Every structure is written in C-alpha cells, then in structure tokens.
Amino acid sequence: NAGVMQNPRHLVRRRGQEARLRCSPMKGHSHVYWYRQLPEEGLKFMVYLQKENIIDESGMPKERFSAEFPKEGPSILRIQQVVRGDSAAYFCASSSSEGGYGYTFGSGTRLTVV
Amino acid sequence: GENVEQHPSTLSVQEGDSAVIKCTYSDSASNYFPWYKQELGKRPQLIIDIRSNVGEKKDQRIAVTLNKTAKHFSLHITETQPEDSAVYFCAASIGAGSYQLTFGKGTKLSVIP
C-alpha cells in the first residue's frame, strides 16, 4: 500500500499564476481532507471531500481556492492568482470512512510564490 | 470553534532526560486528542492518541495524559534520544468520526547529546 500520494512535492509559482496540487488517497479510501501549514504554524483544516462531493469547505478561503475529488483520478486543490501569502505546505489525508481516528497525511506539497 | 493552546513553543533537554509538552483546549465536546511528530520538511506523523474515556495511555517511552475537567492533555517522553528532536503538535477533534482536527502551534524539541 503506497499510502497517500501527493504531487508535486515542491511547486514554485509567480504571483498571479495558478497552482494545482494533487492528492491520491490510499487504496480503497474515498474520503479526502486537505490541510494547510503556514511557516512556524500548526496545520489548519481546509476542506473535506468525498468522491464527486464537497462535504465541508468551511476552512477554505472564499476566493481563489477550490477543490475537487472526481469519480476517477486524484483530488485536486486549485489556487488561482496566487499571492505570496499562499506560500505554505499543503497536506492531504484520506480515510475509508468519515473522519476516524488518526488518519495519515501525505508528504505534502510545498508551494512557494515568488 | 475549538481553540488549542500548546506550551512551550521550544524545549531543550539533555539526552536521557524527560520532556513534557502541554496543551489546553476550549471545547468541552472535544473527545479525541492525537499527537503528531514532524521532522524538518516531512509529513506530520501520528505518534500517540487518546480518547476522552481514557485518562492515560502509554506506548514505550511515550505517554499521554488527559484531564477532561481541566481541559488539558500532555505528552510525556522519557529517556529522550537525539532522534526525538522534532516539532510536536497536539490536536483535538469533536465527535467520534470527526474529520476536523484543530492543531496547536507546535513545540520544537531539541535533545542535546
């Protein structure tokens, strides 16, 4: 079992560009969660998705950020018109049922906006 | 919403000594408390967790205690080793299947050989 796979590991974007972060859940998992970690901070919940559905996006900024988890393929976190403040590590996790205890994070994508 | 405070922000101990990290939470409905270890540039890894029906849990050199009345929980690492050096995060969540963890800001532990 390869675990939760995220790519790219590192992503550099210029201000105003778009960033696409991908997360492939563990095999058999249909629930995905995205968290953001700003420098020197703990992780903050962004969004919870099931296949083809956004269940809770209460942690997502209202503008420029969107997420999807299509029927086929990985979950995508999309950030449009990136700004320097979007620089952070973005982690996803997955589970076979809602929530559960101690889900495992992927290795993260470190986004740097220059 | 839930708020988790974590102390201290940095902690240095001599190898072989014990380290204690403390967290408080605000929502009395929280009932699941995991601890994560994060090495530089790597993913947070779950090292131990405790549920609200248990007061203490131990796994080799690591233990966690929970005081629901006072709304605080602590991580104890005994016989510290250099490889224990990392940032440790506490977290809390509400509900048996809650997916939304609220994290503390982390404690940077340095174990001095």
Side-chain angles (χ1 to χ4, degrees):
Chain A
N1 192 332
V4 179
M5 303 298 292
Q6 289 187 249
N7 64 83
R9 291 292 306 275
H10 300 275
L11 181 62
V12 179
R13 285 287 178 266
R14 295 186 183 279
R15 281 178 293 171
Q17 291 185 321
E18 178 180 287
R20 281 183 175 242
L21 289 62
R22 289 178 290 278
C23 170
S24 296
M26 290 178 68
K27 188 176 181 181
H29 287 188
S30 59
H31 303 248
V32 167
Y33 320 88
W34 285 92
Y35 282 74
R36 177 166 67 173
Q37 184 177 32
L38 296 171
E40 310 295 322
E41 296 277 332
L43 283 74
K44 293 194 187 301
F45 170 78
M46 299 181 75
V47 61
Y48 162 37
L49 310 104
Q50 294 180 19
K51 286 282 188 181
E52 301 183 277
N53 284 302
I54 298 174
I55 306 303
D56 180 354
E57 56 182 350
S58 60
M60 288 268 276
K62 294 288 185 279
E63 298 179 349
R64 303 186 298 106
F65 284 71
S66 62
E68 63 177 10
F69 189 16
K71 186 176 180 181
E72 301 291 337
S75 175
I76 305 289
L77 180 67
R78 182 182 177 203
I79 311 171
Q80 295 179 291
Q81 300 176 319
V82 296
V83 301
R84 289 232 169 98
D86 297 332
S87 296
Y90 293 82
F91 292 93
C92 76
S94 70
S95 66
S96 56
S97 58
E98 180 174 301
Y101 298 102
Y103 48 57
T104 301
F105 288 99
S107 295
T109 293
R110 280 149 186 86
L111 172 66
T112 302
V113 179
V114 297
Chain B
E2 175 66 282
N3 182 49
V4 176
E5 299 283 342
Q6 183 171 349
H7 300 278
S9 56
T10 59
L11 179 61
S12 291
V13 299
Q14 291 289 332
E15 182 178 357
D17 287 350
S18 295
V20 180
I21 302 170
K22 299 181 180 182
C23 289
T24 60
Y25 60 98
S26 60
D27 196 325
S28 56
S30 290
N31 62 2
Y32 174 60
F33 308 92
W35 286 87
Y36 286 83
K37 175 184 179 182
Q38 187 176 31
E39 297 175 358
L40 189 63
K42 297 194 175 180
R43 76 183 79 186
Q45 292 191 297
L46 178 70
I47 56 172
I48 196 167
D49 56 9
I50 192 167
R51 305 181 192 184
S52 61
N53 59 341
V54 176
E56 183 174 357
K57 182 177 178 181
K58 191 173 182 180
D59 183 4
Q60 297 181 22
R61 296 186 297 109
I62 294 173
V64 57
T65 59
L66 171 65
N67 183 327
K68 283 216 75 181
T69 302
K71 289 190 283 187
H72 67 69
F73 55 113
S74 301
L75 177 72
H76 304 253
I77 306 174
T78 59
E79 300 173 18
T80 53
Q81 300 167 2
E83 51 265 39
D84 294 329
S85 297
V87 179
Y88 292 80
F89 293 96
C90 62
S93 74
I94 300 172
S98 176
Y99 48 82
Q100 190 171 144
L101 295 175
T102 301
F103 283 80
K105 291 194 172 184
T107 296
K108 183 175 181 180
L109 174 64
S110 300
V111 179
I112 303 164

